[in-house]
Structure formats: C-alpha cells, structure tokens
Amino acid sequence: MAMAMSDSGASRLRRQLESDGFEARLYVKQLSQQSDGDRDLQEHRQRIQALAEETAQNLKRNVYQNYRQFIETAREISYLESEMYQLSHLLTEQKSSLESIPLTLLPAAAAAGAAAASGGEEGGGGAGGRDHLRGQAGFFPSPGGASRDSSGPGEEGKQRTLTTLLEKVEGCRHLLETPGQYLVYNGDLVEYEADHMTQLQRVHGFLMNDCLLVATWLPQRRGMYRYNALYPLDGLAVVNVKDNPPMKDMFKLLMFPESRIFQAENAKIKREWLEVLEETKRALSEKRRRGQEEAAAPRGPPQVTSKASNPFEDEDDGEPAVPEAEEEKVDLSVEWIQELPEDLDVCIAQRDFEGAVDLLDKLNHYLEDKPSPPPVKELRARVDERVGQLTEVLVFELSPGRSLRGGPKATRRAVSQLIRLGQCTKACELFLRNRAAAVHTAIRQLRIEGATLLYIHKLCHVFFTSLLETAREFETDFAGTDSGCYSAFVVWARSAMGMFVDAFSKQVFDSKESLSTAAECVKVAKEHCQQLSDIGLDLTFIIHALLVKDIQGALHSYKEIIIEATKHRNSEEMWRRMNLMTPEALGKLKEEMKGCGVGNFEQYTGDDCWVNLSYTVVAFTKQTMGFLEEALKLYFPELHMVLLESLVEIILVAVQHVDYSLRCEQDPEKKAFIRQNASFLYETVLPVVEKRFEEGVGKPAKQLQDLRNASRLIRVNPESTTSVV
C-alpha cells in the first residue's frame, strides 16, 4: 500500500512538473511554506532526484531503441544522395550530347542545300528545294549567330568541359557564374603537411584560366569531390620542391598567409603542372596588361563642329582642345610593374620584407607627380591590398605571442619595415608591447631563491638590463622619427617600472623581511636604476614614488618593534651596572658602540668587566643607531618627516622612562646611577643621533635639537607614581 502511495505521489509530482504553467520559483516558494522542516525538504529533494534519474533512463532507453533506425535512415539518405548525383551527371552528359548534334549536322545540311539548289536549276525543282532547306534552317543556328556571341565552337567546348567536371564537385556552383572562365588543366594530387612532410589527403586540382580550384576526394562516392579552396592566380606563387627521396615529384603553392605542398603522380605530370601553371599565370598577366593599355590609350579627337553650324562659337577661339586621355596617359606596360603584385606575393610568402618594401618604394617613386587615371587607381588598389597583407605579417612578427628570444634586436627587422611603410606609431606601439611581454616573461621565469637579497640581485640585473637594451634599441630604430614616440617610451618605462616594483615589493616587503634586508635590497635597486642615466634616462624619481608607501610601512613596523622592545626592557629595569664577565665581551661592546658613533664610551667603563651604564640604556642605544643607519639607506626626500617622527617617538620612550625613574626613585645610590644614564642619553647618544641624521639627510633636524636641549621632556606630576608613556 505504501508503494502504491509512493507511485501515485511520483506520478502526481511528474504531472505537476510537466504542466504548461509550471514556474520553478513559485513551486519552491510554496514548497518551503508548506514543509514542516528540513527533513521534508530533503525527502522532496530525493523524490525529484529519483524522478530525474528515471526520466534520464527512459530517454536513454528510447535513444537506444531508435539508434538502429537512425543509422538505416542515414544510410538510405546517403544512397539517395549518390543516386541523385549520378542522375544529375547523366542529365548533364545528355544535354552536352544534344547540344553537339546541331554542330555536327550543320556541314551536312549545307552540302545538301547546295546539291538541291543545283538540281533545281537544272531540273526545274529549285523552288521546292529552297523551300525545303528554308524549313530545315530554322532548327539549326546559323554561322553568323555564333560569331555574334563572340564564342566559337572551341569556347563552347571548353565551357561544357568545365561544366561537366565541376558537376562532380560539391559546393562550387558559384564558379560557373564567371563569364569567360574555362578549364585549362586538371589532375589528381596528394597533399603533404608542410612542416613534417606527412601525407594529409588526396585532392584533385582544377586549373582555370584565372584561378586554381582544389577539391578533396569523397571515398564513399567514387569519382565525386568536395570543394576545398579557390586561389586566384594573381595571388599565387609556384615553387619547385627539390626531390629528396622518398619525397619527390613535389611542388609548393604559396598563398598569403599560407602555403601548401602537393605531390604529383610522376615527374612528367609534375613538370606539366609547373609549366601549365606558369603559362596560365603569364597569359592572365598579359591579358590584364593589354586591358590596361587599351584603357590608357588616347581616344580619337572629338568631332569638331563647323562654325556654320555653331553660330555662338567665337571666331578667335581656333585652338583645338587637348584630349583629356592624352594628358592622363601613364605607361604601365613596364614588365616589373606588370609583375609587381605577384612579386609582392612571393616576397611576403618568403618573408622577404625588405624586398617587398623596396618594390613599393620603387613604385611610389615611379608614380610620383603622375596623374591617377583608372588603370593607375586599379594598380594602386591591388598594391594596397598587398600592403595590408604585408602590414599584417609584420604586426604578427611583433605580437607578444611570437617567440621573445633574441632580445630587442630581434624586432628591428619588422619595426624598420613598418616605419618605411609609414606606420611609425603602430611600430612604436607594437615594439613596446613586445618588450613589455618579454620583460614580464623574464621576471616570471626567475626562480625565487631562499635568500631574498640574492633574488633581488637577479631581479634587478634581469629587469634593468632589459630596460637598458630596450632603450638603446628604441633609440636606434626610431632615430629621426616623430618625437611623440619618445614620450610613448617614457610612459612605457614607467609602466615597466611598476611591474618591477610589484615583484620587488612582493618579495621584500610582503614577506616581512628585516629592515636591514629591505634597506640592502632598495640600495641595490637604486644602484641599478642609476645605470640608466648613461643613456639620459633617469627613473629614480619613479622608483621612489612607487616604493614610498612600502618603505613607510616598513619604517612604521620596525619603529613599533623597537618601541615594544624598549617598553619591555623598561618594565624589567633594576638600574644595575652591566657585568660583561670577560674582557672579550667588553672589547666587543666597545667596538659596537664605536660603530654606533659613540667615541667616548671608555669613560663609562669601570674596573674589570664592569660598565657604568644600565643594560636597558645600552641596548636602546645600539637598537636606535641601527634603526637610523638602515633608515638612512632607504631615505629620500618624501620620507623625511616619516623618519624624523619615528626617531622622535623612539627616543621619547627612553627619555620618558629615565625621567619617570629619576622622579620616583628614593635610593640615593640608584638615583645617582639613573642620573649618570640620563647624562649618557642627553650628552652622548642624542648628539650622535642628531649628527648622523644631518650627515645622512644633508640638513639639521630642529625636532632633535629641541629634544636634546630640553632638561625635562615631559612634566610629570610629582605626586604621581605612574608613567605617562
């Protein structure tokens, strides 16, 4: 019974989901309102999922049931299509046969007419014979009609042959619509892959008088082909491929931007293909040359009306008008001009960019200061098409997707030819984009070493060397061009510097390196950046502007570390003299204090290994002077106030603690010891800090002077026993 209820619920759910007015959003909303809790929703979800799986299984079962019928139907369709093509071929042959019958019977009819005429004259039956011939002549075209169509029987035969052959090729009906087109040569070929010389497919070539059609074999229909490609002969270059057994009897067709290699059946057929291709190209070129000459030839002078018939003509105006075509005549029959489009195609296909641009310069120089009649405009249109193709190839050569090896000099060839084509702005943009991709790739390929300083040395060497080479190559390529290109280079250099700083900051500042390591890394970057000044490029201000936030953050973080450490030592301060236990330790401390700039530290040492200073004050002195030295390595004017304020905050923590301890201490001996430490801070440490800051920055700091000259930095309530710090 439960199963019956489950089946009825599933069928009801299915009907609800299959209803026309079903809305998923409304259904889910109602379901959420009607459910008692999460368990009901889970059960409903399981029911829907089970229903979906059941539907999928039913659909799969139906597909499997109909699969055989699909295959049989497809096979029947294929058979029917094959029969239709055979029927079409038979009809075409019948049509050709019927068209050839009148041409065959025409000479016999003419001979019969002549015999009837002579018999009529002799036997008196001439009228009947002539009438009989006149009745038959209506069934055949007259010889005069053929000449009026400007195509004799030979042309019609060529057209019929082309039609018959192309009926066997799928997808090329549009070729039959070209007037004057006929088949010159055709044959089977085998296509090979250009790089690895592996066999690709069998093809059939149809050479027309103005183009080459390539069709692929259809294995399932013998003698039928499928359209593959069509190449105009004026954009086609033929190259003989030297035999290299087992690869022999091959030739290459070059068509921008691709090339294809074909193999003939034997050496004889290969030679025929090469010869007929060249002859057909030459005939097409000659035909177009004659057409241009006829178009450029001067027309006859206009008919001059007599003065008698034109009473409004001025009697004094007797000069004949100069024919307009004579003024616009430009000699385009020169051989190199006729072959220019084909030569450009060959140069582009063979990547002879310099030769292509030389030909264009030669043409521009020849047509300079000459008029532009229609033949010249037509020639320029054909040449402009090749210029566009050449530009596309050069742009592709500079694209970031190409190999970036070889450095900036590898781009010089394409850049120089683009500049010669008048594409200076595009050449500049593509060159800089290419170099940006190269720099980005070089930075990404750097291995991140364990030692940060070692990685930064490699990063700076790679980046600034690339930047220097790019700048020198840019100056070489774009010398004498528009000065706007140099502005574009400066903008690019700033962008590249941003890429460098991102990698630099990620390794130095984001990894929370010590201030000394960060200072060394920034120093290395500055030294490499100054190398660019050799070519007149100063980017120091850019690297300062890009690093200022990171350096500020590093100074702030290290300042907080020093303040926290100082406060911790202050909380444990017992105001006792330091006992270094060994003379070696005392000598080491003297050297450290001397390195910090404290030259009179001897007066604070006592007998044996004692130092008449507190451990807290000595540690503060070493830490503060170390912070100052590292900060001065990072210093540039934008960080002046940040560094000064950090120093003041650090010093205030120490002097406030000494001042508070001096006011709160009751023991006379400890009070005297505290005064001695305070004297060391005010009279020795602060002057050293002030002097070193002035040496590193180049100007004194008034805040440090005020801090040293004040006898009490913070007034503390004498009755209070708590620190103000």
Side-chain angles (χ1 to χ4, degrees), residues 84-111:
M84 292 298 294
Y85 274 111
Q86 293 176 5
L87 180 60
S88 175
H89 180 61
L90 292 174
L91 291 174
T92 303
E93 290 182 348
Q94 292 293 331
K95 179 182 177 182
S96 302
S97 300
L98 291 174
E99 289 177 350
S100 62
I101 289 175
L103 296 175
T104 306
L105 297 179
L106 185 60

Side-chain angles (χ1 to χ4, degrees), residues 655-664 716 720-723:
V655 298
Q656 285 175 358
H657 174 66
V658 171
D659 179 73
Y660 176 76
S661 300
L662 193 60
R663 293 179 62 82
C664 296
V716 180
S720 174
T721 58
T722 59
S723 174

